[in-house]
Amino acid sequence: MALSLAISPCPNDTFVFHALVHGRVPGAPPVEVTYADVDVTNTAAERGAFDLVKVSFAALPWLLDDYHLLPCGGALGRGCGPLVLTRGDRDGGPDRTDLTGATVAVPGDRTTAYLLFRLWSAGRPPARIEVVPFHEIMPGVAAGRYDAGLVIHEARFTYHRHGLSALVDLGEWWEADTGLPIPLGAILARRGAVDPEAAAGWVRESVRQAWADPAASREYVLAHAQEMELDVVDRHIGLYVNEFTADLGEAGLAAVAALLDRAATAGLVPQTSSSRATAWTS
């Protein structure tokens, strides 16, 4: 039977999963892949829609009863956090990072980016949050429809083109506060549908092949890169596919625990047992 897989069309995901999707991983079943933004996969995973699925780490408290967290294939790192953007001519007053009274566009209400934003803005939340498709956020801020926008991924490399400024880098804020990498996207395996140890092996082999022969996936990556320039695609992969993609390791798992513990303490997510949020062996 085919394995159902849901990932984003972003270059880091297509680069990592190229070998698995194209039947190049020995012993892995055939794969039926769905491409969707992470806000869509977060919701679909709640319905148990996929055997393997890329989700936000922020969504784990709602998913770990039905899914195992795999120790590989996801997106964590340093210097790769979400940005809060505003128009370059915005008058922020004495404290330009204070968004009290502002309308902020975000890419999803259970994304890690939005969870980090809520932790960062605690005590001075904006007046209004609007969930907006990712590709509409920067144009909307530039046009004045939103006072600020929360962006991820390749927007780090392109926001200047929209005349926008970075109000805060939430990755820098997180790293300075915790000393840990920032946990963005996780790979989950549905309990009872796929063996998590086998799935971790397939994903790790797909990552290994991606690094061993980057050119093999180039056509596939570019076909799904939503008209990104080649330079942006390469920088995107270089930033988000790293040591934590091959293995979360102690630092990666500590980052996940810190994010979920802080969010639960703040009342933003349900409490998650540490055994459920460690790896497939739980």
Side-chain angles (χ1 to χ4, degrees), residues 43-251:
T43 301
E46 283 197 80
R47 304 191 305 270
F50 300 102
D51 299 323
L52 289 180
V53 58
K54 171 79 171 289
V55 300
S56 301
F57 274 107
L60 293 191
W62 291 275
L63 301 175
L64 289 178
D65 283 345
D66 298 314
Y67 284 88
H68 295 276
L69 171 63
L70 295 189
C72 51
L76 296 87
R78 299 184 185 275
C80 62
L83 304 178
V84 180
L85 303 179
T86 61
R87 282 189 2 178
D89 59 358
R90 174 181 178 268
D91 179 10
D95 181 2
R96 64 184 299 272
T97 64
D98 188 348
L99 292 174
T100 303
T103 297
V104 180
V106 305
D109 58 0
R110 286 191 181 171
T111 60
T112 305
Y114 183 44
L115 183 56
L116 288 167
F117 177 83
R118 295 174 77 189
L119 291 169
W120 170 77
S121 63
R124 49 176 189 175
R128 180 179 173 136
I129 294 292
E130 291 193 23
V131 176
V132 176
F134 173 70
H135 68 277
E136 296 179 11
I137 293 178
M138 289 192 292
V141 176
R145 291 193 294 275
Y146 316 108
D147 299 300
L150 180 63
V151 300
I152 54 177
H153 293 328
E154 68 275 4
R156 296 186 64 87
F157 313 121
T158 60
Y159 69 87
H160 297 98
R161 302 176 190 175
H162 296 266
L164 304 179
S165 298
L167 191 71
V168 63
D169 182 325
L170 293 175
E172 290 182 358
W173 168 78
W174 170 262
E175 291 176 50
D177 200 48
T178 67
L180 296 167
I182 183 168
L184 297 169
I187 304 299
L188 305 184
R190 188 156 60 94
R191 295 177 185 269
V194 57
D195 175 47
E197 182 175 7
W202 304 331
V203 174
R204 282 202 171 106
E205 174 60 16
S206 196
V207 172
R208 188 198 67 77
Q209 291 190 35
W211 277 332
D213 186 6
S217 64
R218 179 53 57 105
E219 183 177 351
Y220 171 63
V221 169
L222 293 178
H224 292 278
Q226 301 176 345
E227 300 183 0
M228 282 186 222
E229 300 93 332
L230 185 57
D231 175 63
V232 173
V233 168
D234 288 341
R235 293 167 70 188
H236 183 117
I237 292 171
L239 186 60
Y240 294 100
V241 184
N242 53 47
E243 63 186 286
F244 298 106
T245 311
D247 192 90
L248 290 174
E250 291 184 8

